[in-house]
Amino acid sequence: MAKWINFLRKYGPIPRNDNMYDEAIQRTSRRSKIDPISFEHPFQEKVFACFDCSPLSNVILTGTAGDGKTHLCREVWVKLGGDIKEWESDDPYVCLENNGKYIHFIRDLSGWAPPMGHTWEDHPEKKKLILQFVESCFVMGSDNVFMIAGNDGQLVEALRRLSMESDSSKVIEFRNILDELLVEDKQYIENVFLELFNLSRGSSAEIFDKALDALIHHDGWSECLSECNGRDSCPVRTNYNLLKTDIVRIRIRKLFELCDHNGLHLPIRQVLLLLTNCVLGHPDAKDSLIRETDVLNIIDSGKVAEGCLYNNVFGGNLPYRRRSSITVFDYFERFQIGEETTNRIDNLLIFGEDDELLKPIYDGLFGSDPFFSNDLHFRNAKKNYIEAPDEDEESSNRFLEMLVRYRRGMFFMIPIEKEQEYKLWDLTVFRFAGEYTKDVHEFLASGNKHVHGKILGRLVRGLNRIFTGMMLESNDKLYLAESGSYSQTKVSRIFLDYVSVRPSKNEKVVIIMEDNKHVFLRVYFTSSDFEDLKLSLVRYEFLSRVAEDGALPASFSKECNEDILAFKSRLIAMWNNIRNCDDEETTEDNIEIRILSSESGKPKERSISIRK
Amino acid sequence: MNQERLYPENKNPEPSMWVDEAIWGHRLYDEQVPWFIYLEFLNVAAFYSKEGKLFEEPNGYNRLVYKAAHRLYLRNILFNFPLSKMQQISHMDLSDNQMWDKWFLEMDETQMGLIYPDFSYLRMHFDRFVDLVDVIKLVHSSCLELHSNKRWTSKFVFPYCVDALYEDLDRKTSSNDRRFFGRTGELVYLMLCRAKGKEKLRKLLNERVFSSKDTMWETVIRSLQPANSSDGSERKVGFLPYESHHCFDSLCQDWIEILELNIPLIDLAPHLVKLVGFHVLRFQQELARESLNDENKSYYVAEIIAPKKTLVRELSVEFYQKNNNLSMKAVVDHIEQIEKSEKWQQACDSSDPFQNCKELLLERVLWPRKQSDYEGAFNPEDLMASLKAAVRRRHSQHVGNIHRVYGREIGLISKRGTNRLRYAPTDAFIRTLVLTNVNTRMEFKEFLIKLFERYNIVIGDVEAQRMTCIKVQDLDNKAFQNNAERLEQRLSSIGLLRRLSDGCAYLLNPYAK
């Protein structure tokens, strides 16, 4: 058991997690004779394809640390017949010949490019090579082809320095091309022989699926589990078994999907770290990750439940500082699962076991749970809390901490078919997340055209409230209004126009999906003039809450508010353009000012005419 | 870098001495907040734009004379008659005619400054009295200083068009008492007259600001005043002692960048205002250093507000304090140079030391001109001491506050989160810097470098390392890296930055041309 657990720990949030780096994984794996957790990289097929066609194209792999750049680079090296021994050298630059072409691999740009304080001039052979690369991007079928893996920041920095040192117009042109590829999320540009793969644009949920399968089917487990036969209460085994259940997979995957929808990318390294922590996390173990020697102690102390997967998913086993410095926990923290609650949920957790009405529900959720069905610590703490509420602050705090764990547990126990009934998403800060994924994303992805009118109407109401700064109830027309001074002013009383939500004279407001991935709210002024608002989860929640409650938690209001106001400016600009095209010069003697006000939620406009 | 200063030909000018003025011109004035600088500037510029002589000094340096409008009809209606009272009238059980008549009557009594007031032109523009009331309410929502306790003659319409421009007046509406229009706007006009690139700025201002677009707002503003009302009086433009300076050029350049953006004019104004405040603040710093022959730079170590104390905050406080005291040093030094000069020594050693010293001072600082300027003993030491005290006192009253007051007004300086002033820019100020300096898109680190190279604003570790006045080993790079990271987060939260990965982010200018 020890060997596998020790190997696995290295993927986890320990101070020296060697398995963060492809090079290190390979080394550890050889030493311990355990295969690394491996699966096909989601981009592998696409990248391989670049070397299967003719003419060959240069390839840049960029992305966040841990996205698998080096790994993918190695796969290409091996595929093209490169010598694995040569790859294992420490040289960040290697080269091979393939069908008469030289394929240059710069597998670690930061290790290869001149370090800070140096110039390209200080390394003439490197300068020559990088210029050769730039050159080959403009030549079809060049004899030199490059495969460069590097963080995009380093790439931009390297070229910035190069463009300062070199007066070649090619370099400057190339820099602009690179900017365009990066910022506009393109893979290639016409007539440039370069394919750029930004691995950070992949789906984290997809990586999660692959990583989870690779982890649970890893050979290491069979030996490990057979060795500890009989220790049914071993937290590692329990977590491992939980990880194999559908419900846990579905719920964790949902969190990844929602991160994707919010534009928060989690690289492979973070996904593996999370999974490892799920299985091995326990606050009492060394570095909060269980070693073989910890297992018995934990069982004996009766604190098995403290290492439950439900809590480990959120890094609950780790000290706050450690947790907040790890991206995946930082992102998951934003769901506020465990902190967010309703009276209903807390009543169930506190009184459920002893209340006749609630007991069936309580038992249905927790009765057969391996961690919680027999959690004496919780039971005692609860008893103390109920019976002696003010006496002992410390113990009540301890109980509240446990409660966080139970709320998190609930997130993984509510069965799919009861999500609505138990209001699963009330356990998170995103109350509308369930609707967002199911009734918007999945609904559109499966080919449906129109989301439910209720949803569209609610979003429109939210937009109207922000656009006008008034508590309008209207949801069938989108109101465009200005304030007259700087457009960031809160209340906009000058009414310009409205756009009908239902199709009318080519005007309409719809929710659409593009690339089977991103959802937009689209406002049509004519059949060909429209503006889009990307509907991330945060914006969806923001608009929905503004529409339902009129207010929202301050934490994400500012950013969204700015976004929505910028959208309004774009809509007004387009409206102005279309109007100016319509009626040429207006040399009327009158102008009309339409003033908008709200009468208990109903928009009311009054026209004033001024003679010039 | 020291260039020859220009001196006034008139040896008996308005100011009681020529010390601050010698360094920064006539004059920097702390009570004239950046919005008012902008408005005063617009008054001068609108006049010359109409004459077809925008940014020209045809008769030589510092000899311009312009005329600023008063627009007392517009101002009486908007600011000298309570809106609530108009609303009361509009709710009375009266016919529309009766409402008008009632209001005309009351207005005639309330108005100030008009000799034969006649507000009946309003009826040509508005069908009903309630329409007028609603329009005034609308105009009010964008007025400047509306809710401050400033006198009614110091309240301003948003500068929608030339017809919305007028000068500040005293309570009796008789003249510009220089209370809030203290010539800093005139000074800015002169700066731009002498800036490189002014031709382009002239074109942009003429096109975007001074030409009539017949917008709704222009109609509204015009409808509130009688046609062809020409009033106002001639004013001499202030005094700027330099023929050229890089500060003038960079203000000009920054204004051009903003005016070229694809944003409605109304939304441009706040950016132009922030920039003018910032460049005047920088002008004060740079000229103080030049006057002191100080080769160091004024760095603005900007803390992007952190939840708790950081090294960046400490440095920011430190630099703020140093910079803030700099102008006082400069004026004191200006006097000490005279005291140390050979001429002063000769005068002291002459047969009539007091008289000769006094004459030297009169020549150099135009002081003491009035009997009451100096009433001490007739010896050079007391005279000099008295001058120094007067200079300090005078400087601390107004010019010495520029750094703090303008910095706070534009959102560069703040106390937020602490009780000490420091450079802690607001989102709005940062937004202005982005719109000014990012053409379409720019890599984040490059942006930080640009802010450093153009304005000496220090945010990240790379820039901190480049500060010449600090020992590099004393710097905590991590603190500056975190600072830059916080900026990045804020930029992203106001929609101006796109993060590509953990190592790369781009600033985007949403209004790029």
Side-chain angles (χ1 to χ4, degrees), chain B residues 195-256:
Chain B
K196 281 187 203 126
K198 66 176 183 180
E199 294 73 19
K200 194 166 182 189
L201 182 64
R202 176 190 297 143
K203 189 165 164 276
L204 282 166
L205 280 173
N206 278 333
E207 275 170 17
R208 293 210 71 176
V209 184
F210 297 128
S211 69
S212 170
K213 306 280 188 317
D214 226 8
T215 60
M216 177 194 103
W217 284 109
E218 280 179 52
T219 311
V220 167
I221 297 298
R222 276 190 211 124
S223 70
L224 294 175
Q225 44 192 325
N228 309 319
S229 65
S230 69
D231 49 6
S233 36
E234 289 201 334
R235 304 257 169 260
K236 272 187 168 171
V237 176
F239 189 97
L240 179 67
Y242 306 96
E243 292 174 16
S244 66
H245 196 274
H246 64 89
C247 278
F248 309 165
D249 306 341
S250 51
L251 168 64
C252 178
Q253 192 189 336
D254 283 359
W255 268 21
I256 289 173

Side-chain angles (χ1 to χ4, degrees), chain A residues 241-254:
Chain A
N241 286 335
L242 273 175
L243 207 50
K244 288 197 289 189
T245 60
D246 283 345
I247 188 83
V248 167
R249 174 190 285 260
I250 287 169
R251 293 281 147 80
I252 302 183
R253 187 180 206 282
K254 205 83 222 185

Side-chain angles (χ1 to χ4, degrees), chain B residues 2 49 61 85 108 203 226 229 252 384 429 450 471 497:
Chain B
N2 248 337
S49 169
Y61 294 122
K85 234 166 142 186
D108 278 353
K203 189 165 164 276
S229 65
C252 178
M384 182 48 94
F429 184 68
K450 190 166 182 192
K471 279 195 220 116
L497 180 130

Side-chain angles (χ1 to χ4, degrees), chain A residues 488-533:
Chain A
Q488 306 294 334
T489 325
K490 288 202 176 86
V491 180
S492 302
R493 293 163 35 84
I494 304 168
F495 172 62
L496 301 176
D497 208 345
Y498 61 75
V499 181
S500 171
V501 173
R502 255 180 278 162
S504 157
K505 290 183 257 162
N506 292 326
E507 282 179 8
K508 61 180 171 182
V509 180
V510 290
I511 297 176
I512 52 126
M513 175 173 259
E514 296 234 308
D515 304 333
N516 225 16
K517 203 163 142 196
H518 301 298
V519 173
F520 297 89
L521 182 130
R522 180 169 286 178
V523 178
Y524 281 94
F525 289 97
T526 71
S527 53
S528 57
D529 298 295
F530 57 83
E531 274 292 341
D532 281 346
L533 175 74

Side-chain angles (χ1 to χ4, degrees), chain A residues 144-170:
Chain A
N144 290 285
V145 178
F146 287 77
M147 166 96 187
I148 299 181
N151 172 303
D152 39 14
Q154 294 152 357
L155 200 63
V156 171
E157 173 67 20
L159 281 157
R160 192 178 65 83
R161 278 152 67 190
L162 189 66
S163 66
M164 273 160 55
E165 281 177 43
S166 150
D167 48 7
S168 152
S169 60
K170 281 264 164 62

Side-chain angles (χ1 to χ4, degrees), chain A residues 33-261:
Chain A
K33 302 204 175 55
I34 296 180
D35 288 336
I37 302 172
S38 72
F39 50 89
E40 188 184 305
H41 195 285
F43 279 79
Q44 180 169 309
E45 206 176 313
K46 285 188 197 157
V47 174
F48 276 11
C50 295
F51 294 93
D52 284 337
C53 61
S54 174
L56 293 185
S57 174
N58 296 289
V59 173
I60 292 180
L61 297 181
T62 138
T64 304
D67 262 330
K69 297 183 290 285
T70 318
H71 169 83
L72 207 44
C73 225
R74 179 165 52 91
E75 298 291 315
V76 175
W77 174 265
V78 172
K79 176 186 153 64
L80 296 179
D83 178 1
I84 200 71
K85 283 265 160 8
E86 195 177 342
W87 185 267
E88 278 163 13
S89 71
D90 274 341
D91 199 338
Y93 165 74
V94 284
C95 178
L96 60 75
E97 204 186 331
N98 183 290
N99 288 334
K101 308 256 180 198
Y102 289 101
I103 305 186
H104 306 267
F105 283 76
I106 300 174
R107 57 170 154 173
D108 172 15
L109 186 74
S110 58
W112 180 79
M116 279 288 265
H118 287 229
T119 61
W120 284 99
E121 213 50 69
D122 299 335
H123 303 263
E125 74 297 342
K126 289 185 178 175
K127 185 171 179 182
K128 196 174 145 213
L129 201 65
I130 192 94
L131 286 172
Q132 201 174 26
F133 160 65
V134 171
E135 186 75 27
S136 74
C137 288
F138 294 103
V139 180
M140 181 155 56
S142 165
D143 286 340
N144 290 285
V145 178
F146 287 77
M147 166 96 187
I148 299 181
N151 172 303
D152 39 14
Q154 294 152 357
L155 200 63
V156 171
E157 173 67 20
L159 281 157
R160 192 178 65 83
R161 278 152 67 190
L162 189 66
S163 66
M164 273 160 55
E165 281 177 43
S166 150
D167 48 7
S168 152
S169 60
K170 281 264 164 62
V171 175
I172 291 164
E173 193 185 340
F174 184 76
R175 238 196 106 194
N176 289 332
I177 288 170
L178 189 70
D179 279 356
E180 190 179 329
L181 288 169
L182 284 170
V183 179
E184 287 169 28
D185 253 344
K186 293 182 178 167
Q187 191 177 317
Y188 59 87
I189 291 175
E190 282 304 309
N191 298 325
V192 183
F193 303 95
L194 171 69
E195 304 244 2
L196 180 135
F197 296 94
N198 187 346
L199 306 189
S200 293
R201 292 284 168 270
S203 147
S204 309
E206 190 186 335
I207 293 171
F208 167 75
D209 281 337
K210 291 184 169 218
L212 178 59
D213 284 334
L215 174 69
I216 56 184
H217 296 126
H218 196 282
D219 291 341
W221 287 113
S222 54
E223 198 186 333
C224 165
L225 295 175
S226 65
E227 276 177 21
C228 74
N229 225 351
R231 273 189 243 145
D232 281 344
S233 50
C234 164
V236 178
R237 170 190 293 257
T238 314
N239 282 332
Y240 172 68
N241 286 335
L242 273 175
L243 207 50
K244 288 197 289 189
T245 60
D246 283 345
I247 188 83
V248 167
R249 174 190 285 260
I250 287 169
R251 293 281 147 80
I252 302 183
R253 187 180 206 282
K254 205 83 222 185
L255 298 180
F256 277 103
E257 275 174 39
L258 293 173
C259 283
D260 283 338
H261 294 326

Side-chain angles (χ1 to χ4, degrees), chain B residues 358-426:
Chain B
K358 189 177 150 192
E359 265 164 32
L360 178 66
L361 289 185
L362 262 173
E363 183 201 317
R364 299 292 297 276
V365 297
L366 308 180
W367 182 94
R369 270 175 284 155
K370 278 187 289 190
Q371 183 117 46
S372 56
D373 284 346
Y374 181 70
E375 285 169 335
F378 282 21
N379 67 61
E381 294 77 25
D382 284 1
L383 181 66
M384 182 48 94
S386 168
L387 171 63
K388 281 185 185 168
V391 163
R392 280 175 194 275
R393 197 169 50 241
R394 187 164 174 264
H395 183 78
S396 65
Q397 275 165 354
H398 295 295
V399 184
N401 300 331
I402 292 283
H403 194 70
R404 186 187 76 244
V405 174
Y406 286 10
R408 294 186 82 162
E409 281 289 328
I410 60 173
L412 171 66
I413 292 167
S414 143
K415 264 187 192 173
R416 274 187 303 168
T418 64
N419 51 9
R420 290 197 294 175
L421 285 168
R422 68 197 187 286
Y423 302 112
T426 56

Side-chain angles (χ1 to χ4, degrees), chain A residues 152 175 179 183 558 606 611, chain B residues 125 127 427 498 501 506:
Chain A
D152 39 14
R175 238 196 106 194
D179 279 356
V183 179
K558 190 180 159 213
R606 182 171 118 64
R611 276 183 297 276
Chain B
H125 298 293
D127 284 337
D427 285 357
R498 185 137 182 252
S501 73
Y506 276 81

